[in-house]
């Protein structure tokens, strides 16, 4: 469906993050933070980990790349899961050097960030 001409196509087996953590006997309570950079598939990672992101207050930093999120179909999933898991705000790490750049933005502004970073990306720190 989203195959890009000239790119090598390879099939991979996928596993939900909650299932991978369980299979590897990783105690979710002991996870200190998650840094996620999965090239526009962040919404699908959140979707596959309702126990991890929904039940635990684990700090998350993730790449926010609207163009790839749109291309992969993950943007609506990401926006919905951020609501489902009760994230209330975020800090754009790219703005830390600006006045008030370290002040959390309300999660309702995430769609504005989609427009601001339409042709680029930023790393965001999610806040519950």
């Amino acid at each position: 469906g989203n195959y890009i001409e000239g790119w090598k196509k390879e099939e991979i087996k996928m596993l939900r993050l909650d299932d991978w953590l369980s299979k590897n006997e990783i105690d979710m309570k002991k996870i200190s933070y998650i840094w996620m950079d999965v090239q526009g598939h962040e919404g699908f990672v959140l979707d596959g980990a309702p126990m991890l992101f929904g039940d635990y207050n684990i700090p998350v930093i993730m790449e926010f790349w609207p163009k790839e999120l749109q291309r992969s179909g993950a943007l609506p999933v990401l926006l919905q899961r951020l609501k489902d898991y009760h994230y209330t705000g975020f800090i754009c790490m790219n703005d830390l050097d600006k006045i008030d750049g370290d002040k959390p933005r309300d999660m309702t502004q995430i769609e504005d960030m989609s427009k601001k970073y339409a042709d680029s990306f930023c790393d965001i720190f999610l806040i519950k």
Side-chain angles (χ1 to χ4, degrees):
N2 289 331
Y3 181 70
I4 297 176
E5 190 68 37
W7 285 17
K8 181 181 173 185
K9 191 172 188 177
E10 186 175 334
E11 289 194 28
I12 59 168
K13 183 179 177 181
M14 296 175 61
L15 183 64
R16 292 168 32 106
L17 183 54
D18 278 353
D19 296 339
W20 184 86
L21 292 168
S22 177
K23 178 181 173 185
N24 289 283
E25 300 179 0
I26 296 172
D27 185 349
M28 293 182 197
K29 292 180 290 245
K30 293 185 177 181
I31 296 174
S32 300
Y33 68 91
I34 293 183
W35 189 300
M36 188 179 353
D37 181 352
V38 291
Q39 304 302 302
H41 292 82
E42 288 78 7
F44 299 131
V45 173
L46 289 174
D47 194 46
M51 287 176 47
L52 177 65
F53 295 112
D55 296 347
Y56 298 95
N57 190 14
I58 298 170
V60 177
I61 296 175
M62 60 172 260
E63 182 179 68
F64 185 71
W65 188 9
K67 190 178 214 170
E68 278 302 301
L69 285 162
Q70 286 284 7
R71 189 189 67 74
S72 73
L75 185 58
V77 176
L78 173 67
L79 298 175
Q80 184 60 53
R81 291 301 164 255
L82 292 174
K83 289 178 190 172
D84 293 347
Y85 302 150
H86 307 289
Y87 285 99
T88 60
F90 65 95
I91 295 172
C92 177
M93 306 302 278
N94 300 37
D95 294 342
L96 289 177
D97 61 343
K98 297 180 175 117
I99 295 174
D100 292 333
D102 62 342
K103 299 283 189 269
R105 299 175 192 216
D106 189 87
M107 193 53 74
T108 58
Q109 295 179 5
I110 196 84
E111 290 191 52
D112 292 335
M113 293 295 289
S114 295
K115 295 172 188 132
K116 179 179 178 181
Y117 288 95
D119 292 319
S120 61
F121 66 92
C122 70
D123 289 318
I124 59 175
F125 177 70
L126 300 173
I127 299 166
K128 280 194 175 188

